[in-house]
């Protein structure tokens, strides 16, 4: 099996809290950054989604904080899509320090919404496969 898609991020000082730790909300920003980077790498731009009248939606997110991150820490944020048979999919993400230590685990449930009807599409996997120039990045 190949390595999961990942992006590098350096923790910036303004992202830390009074204890010097990465602020809890910023973990979500890092996860979102990795998801959009994967979409872009797979050949799907935000404009492509808008042109089709669809958009990804977050339905549930769980973060497990494992190790603190401090300003200047270099991390990699991974992103793996897991597909089921219904209207939703899972996204598993890890934030790892340069030495491979898991700093956070992020598990999310998402869907692909028809922006006009405001309803989830029945099979998001097929839509992503159709839109992507490299569907292998989604495990398809």
């Amino acid at each position: 099996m190949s390595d999961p898609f990942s992006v590098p991020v350096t923790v910036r000082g303004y992202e830390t809290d009074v204890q010097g730790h990465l602020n809890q909300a910023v973990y979500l920003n890092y996860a979102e950054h990795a998801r959009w980077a994967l979409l872009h790498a797979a050949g799907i731009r935000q404009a492509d989604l808008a042109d089709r009248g669809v958009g990804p939606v977050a339905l549930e997110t769980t973060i497990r904080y494992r190790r603190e991150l401090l300003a200047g820490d270099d991390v990699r944020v991974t992103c793996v899509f897991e597909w089921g048979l219904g209207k939703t999919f899972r996204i598993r993400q890890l934030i790892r320090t340069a030495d491979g230590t898991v700093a956070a685990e992020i598990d999310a449930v998402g869907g692909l919404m028809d922006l006009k009807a405001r309803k989830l599409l029945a099979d998001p996997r097929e839509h992503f496969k159709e839109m992507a120039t490299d569907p292998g990045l989604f495990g398809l």
Side-chain angles (χ1 to χ4, degrees), residues 35 38-39 79-83 89-92 128 138:
R35 290 191 294 266
L38 186 154
L39 284 167
C79 189
V80 174
F81 277 65
E82 295 178 356
W83 304 97
F89 50 86
R90 289 198 171 275
I91 305 170
R92 308 273 187 198
F128 278 105
F138 292 108

Side-chain angles (χ1 to χ4, degrees), residues 23-33 35 61 63 95 106:
N23 179 279
Q24 63 185 355
V26 179
Y27 287 83
L28 289 172
N29 289 334
Y30 288 5
E32 185 77 1
H33 171 63
R35 290 191 294 266
T61 304
I63 303 173
I95 299 177
I106 302 153

